Amino acid sequence: SPPFDRIRPHKPREHEMKLLLDKRDAAEALSISEATLGRLVREKKIREIKQGTRCLYRPADLEEFVERLANGDFEKKSEGAAA
């Protein structure tokens, strides 16, 4: 490995090591509020896993949401716009 790896080792954030995130961690990973996360779930833009009374989120689903957001998948399309 390169010598700089010994000087500044990569320490992943806690949420990068988890297979499932709780609402707080998922919202923090996306830099949004828990209320916004709840709205995105209701709008079916982010998948949620129910475990009893807990709501959990897969990091892969959060990454997919970010990719779709970056690609403009959620932008409103104007229907019947005049050419």
Side-chain angles (χ1 to χ4, degrees):
S1 66
F4 59 83
D5 282 350
R6 289 190 298 261
I7 298 168
R8 293 171 42 193
H10 172 70
K11 182 179 179 191
R13 292 184 184 186
E14 186 179 335
H15 70 264
E16 291 176 336
M17 295 184 283
K18 293 181 181 178
L19 295 177
L20 292 172
L21 305 177
D22 63 16
K23 191 172 222 174
R24 184 191 64 191
D25 288 341
E28 182 181 315
L30 294 171
S31 299
I32 60 175
S33 69
E34 291 180 31
T36 298
L37 178 60
R39 179 178 54 80
L40 292 169
V41 168
R42 286 190 304 278
E43 293 173 355
K44 309 267 190 237
K45 293 179 179 176
I46 294 180
R47 289 185 211 133
E48 178 178 73
I49 298 170
K50 295 274 190 175
Q51 177 74 39
T53 60
R54 298 178 69 202
C55 299
L56 302 169
Y57 308 85
R58 293 185 324 156
D61 290 336
L62 303 182
E63 290 171 11
E64 179 186 328
F65 166 75
V66 171
E67 284 300 314
R68 292 179 66 197
L69 189 64
N71 291 335
D73 291 355
F74 301 118
E75 292 176 10
K76 293 191 175 172
K77 312 254 189 294
S78 58
E79 295 181 26

